[in-house]
Amino acid sequence: ILVLGDSLSAAYGIRLEQGWVALLQGRLKAQGYGHKVVNASSSGETTGGALARLPRALELHRPATVILELGGNDGLRGLPVADVRGNFEQLIERSQRAGAKVLLIGMRVPPNYGPAYTEAFHALYGDLARPRRLPLVPFFLDGVALDDALMQDDGLHPNADAQPKLLDQVWPKLTPLLPR
């Protein structure tokens, strides 16, 4: 399982072993899955940056499943939704061509850029997932983002207490992709 994400998957501001990706490896092992998790996430990553790194990651790790947890930094930078969509399309297609199943994790952006951008940005995840029949976590930070007790002081990154909740968002969408 290759996790290609940004700071939310790179355990920004907390110890790496506290992050949801490390917790995923533990849960897989505890439940009898033999899958290895490779965390190729990087703080500050955009869909464009991930696209540049993806070919090497696919070649090196040959994943059966790719989890794409990206887009938040694109949205915070106000990148055009069409560009973000194009990057995601290539990330998905290249992963699938390499034989991997893809799980897409959706994000929302703050309303700073206005409702048209905010709505178009969030809608792109469903628009990508539906025609490709990809499993989708609609909003990764659902139940976390607005809870100060689960967020770091920066208001952007979940703290260690939030990580099991993030894993719980991913788990039901991921397990159907994993053979035992």
Side-chain angles (χ1 to χ4, degrees), residues 55-109:
R56 175 83 173 119
L58 291 172
E59 179 185 323
L60 191 62
H61 303 294
R62 302 189 188 282
T65 304
V66 173
I67 299 174
L68 296 175
E69 180 278 304
L70 294 160
N73 291 311
D74 299 70
L76 291 173
R77 293 174 184 167
L79 298 178
V81 173
D83 293 353
V84 179
R85 180 186 316 275
N87 289 339
F88 267 123
E89 287 170 345
Q90 290 185 63
L91 287 162
I92 292 165
E93 289 166 13
R94 290 179 183 183
S95 296
Q96 290 177 329
R97 255 188 277 128
K101 296 174 184 170
V102 176
L103 169 59
L104 189 58
I105 297 182
M107 281 302 303
R108 291 186 179 273
V109 292

Side-chain angles (χ1 to χ4, degrees), residues 3-88:
V3 180
L4 195 58
D6 54 29
S7 57
L8 301 179
S9 295
Y12 177 87
I14 60 174
R15 292 191 323 271
L16 197 56
E17 65 270 13
Q18 293 176 306
W20 78 268
V21 177
L23 298 177
L24 170 61
Q25 183 67 74
R27 185 178 290 181
L28 288 165
K29 183 177 179 184
Q31 296 202 13
Y33 291 92
H35 297 75
K36 176 184 173 191
V37 179
V38 174
N39 193 350
S41 302
S42 178
S43 291
E45 188 67 280
T46 62
T47 55
L51 186 57
R53 293 189 308 114
L54 181 65
R56 175 83 173 119
L58 291 172
E59 179 185 323
L60 191 62
H61 303 294
R62 302 189 188 282
T65 304
V66 173
I67 299 174
L68 296 175
E69 180 278 304
L70 294 160
N73 291 311
D74 299 70
L76 291 173
R77 293 174 184 167
L79 298 178
V81 173
D83 293 353
V84 179
R85 180 186 316 275
N87 289 339
F88 267 123

Side-chain angles (χ1 to χ4, degrees), residues 126-134:
D127 293 346
L128 289 162
R130 269 188 302 281
R132 294 168 178 84
R133 297 183 182 192
L134 299 178

